[in-house]
Amino acid sequence: MLNKHLLDQIEAVLSRLSIPVSVMDKDGGANLPAEVRASLKEMTDGVPQAMDGMLYMPVKQPAVILHCPEKLPGARDVLILGGALVTSLGSGEQHSENCYDVYRRALRGELVGAELEALSNEHLLPREMERCVMVFHMVQTGQDRAFELLRDITPMQDKDVLIDMDRHTVALIKDMTDTDTMDDLAQYAQALQETLMGETAHQMTVGIGRSRHTIDELRESYAEAKRAIEVGRIFQPEDSVYVFSKLILERFLMELPQDISAYYHSLLFNRKTMRLFNEEMLYTIDMFFKKDLNLSDTARQLYIHRNTLVYRLDKVQRQTGLDLRSFEDAVTFKILMELKKCGGEKLNRK
């Protein structure tokens, strides 16, 4: 079965011919007259055959059938011309799909070394250039694949490549030539998310790997983009765009054994501090960190008096010994609090 994108391209080309030529996927031949279906095997590719006032012509690559009214002037010649144009499109599509398959297998680590080099040369794929991999993941796609939802709305440069990895996952190999920072890529991803939501009502999560120079290294960027999604969902569930290079602390914490995480988390969060760290207090501290330890900005955001915020922070200092207005103590508190997300939730309350 041909993909819809190729069929749309074929129909667009045929619409420019001087007479109306229609196209049908050979797999959809059930809609053809019985006489035509019975004669398909005997028909010669590229040769029009008249039946019941129509001309039918099978095209081998791609596997389609072209047809038009026989009585129209020049119908046979136009049908042959249409067949040549369609074959040219099909060959280009096949070549593209082969290129996509090389990239797909390279990202998965199925092609490495000499084999990847040979296939890259065969398909004229750039082996050296600055690129990174972005992974788009959608859980709910309905009847569509994630690739079909993203294909027509993703803005791409000439050397960008969009790869269908599976039903829910799409990889974008992004040319970094005109991209300065990872923040630019994050903004690109956020804009694409907004477009996707506006046009299809679907949501997605994005992971962004680090830039790589060779095609052989793209699998590392792909693995990083997937890891960014895994780690980001745990530590920053309110977000949906995750940059691997900005998750250094979170990745480090994920590497700690669960028992170690639980032990150090419990040094601060235990039975003695349960009443102190209620929902209101934790929300206050979280906002204080988001406002870069700025008392006035935090109080304004929380709609409380500055003295009320100071009172809460003093309370934490009295009971834990940590002054969250001090950068060093704030970092300590932040790390111990984050440990809960990577194993600390199974601690023994003391």
Side-chain angles (χ1 to χ4, degrees), residues 9-46:
Q9 285 185 310
I10 292 174
E11 289 175 350
V13 168
L14 296 179
S15 68
R16 298 187 179 95
L17 298 177
S18 58
I19 66 173
V21 176
S22 300
V23 61
M24 179 177 294
D25 190 335
K26 279 186 178 179
D27 292 337
N31 297 322
L32 291 171
E35 180 184 1
V36 178
R37 291 202 309 274
S39 304
L40 276 178
K41 292 183 179 180
E42 285 73 34
M43 288 185 183
T44 303
D45 287 322

Side-chain angles (χ1 to χ4, degrees), residues 234-235 253-254 256-267 269-270 335-349:
I234 293 173
F235 287 91
L253 296 179
M254 287 292 291
L256 294 177
Q258 183 172 309
D259 58 337
I260 298 296
S261 298
Y263 170 73
Y264 279 97
H265 178 78
S266 68
L267 293 179
F269 297 89
N270 49 55
I335 291 176
L336 296 182
M337 181 173 65
E338 292 293 281
L339 285 174
K340 179 179 181 180
K341 299 175 182 178
C342 51
E345 70 274 16
K346 294 183 180 180
L347 55 87
N348 293 319
R349 293 284 186 181

Side-chain angles (χ1 to χ4, degrees), residues 40 94 101 108 113 158 241 258 274 289 326 337:
L40 276 178
Q94 184 63 39
D101 189 58
R108 290 172 175 164
D158 291 341
V241 176
Q258 183 172 309
M274 285 180 67
F289 289 162
S326 161
M337 181 173 65

